[in-house]
Amino acid sequence: ASSGASITIRDILTASQQQPVPHHGYQCMSCCRVFPTLWSVKTHIQHSSQEGYSCKVYYRRLKALWEKEHKEQEAAAPRA
């Protein structure tokens, strides 16, 4: 169901917290390119297939995995 979910700025930031960026900017976690702004990363992800990259697929899959993990954590949490 989340395969059609759009990638948000929050998703990009969450993914990028795992890797330090070598310079000022934001790194696409799929292709490792560094962009000067969050907007430019989001634009890159949205149009990555036109550039020969599969970054949009990567972020959609990553987001689906996060959502699945979150649902599993909610299900495993003790209910009061």
Side-chain angles (χ1 to χ4, degrees):
S2 51
S3 62
S6 63
I7 303 304
T8 65
I9 296 295
R10 171 169 259 155
D11 298 326
I12 296 166
L13 283 172
T14 301
S16 67
Q17 288 175 350
Q18 302 299 321
Q19 297 289 329
V21 177
H23 301 286
H24 297 292
Y26 300 91
Q27 184 175 28
C28 173
M29 298 311 298
S30 177
C31 68
C32 298
R33 291 173 58 192
V34 177
F35 297 87
T37 65
L38 281 171
W39 180 254
S40 60
V41 177
K42 185 170 181 168
T43 301
H44 158 73
I45 292 167
Q46 291 172 335
H47 302 289
S48 61
S49 62
Q50 297 168 358
E51 300 174 20
Y53 295 97
S54 58
C55 304
K56 188 173 187 178
V57 174
Y58 172 86
Y59 275 94
R60 281 188 174 170
R61 182 67 185 136
L62 185 61
K63 186 171 184 170
L65 289 171
W66 287 337
E67 290 173 353
K68 180 181 175 187
E69 183 179 272
H70 180 71
K71 287 178 185 177
E72 288 173 354
Q73 287 175 352
E74 284 182 343
R79 300 187 190 260

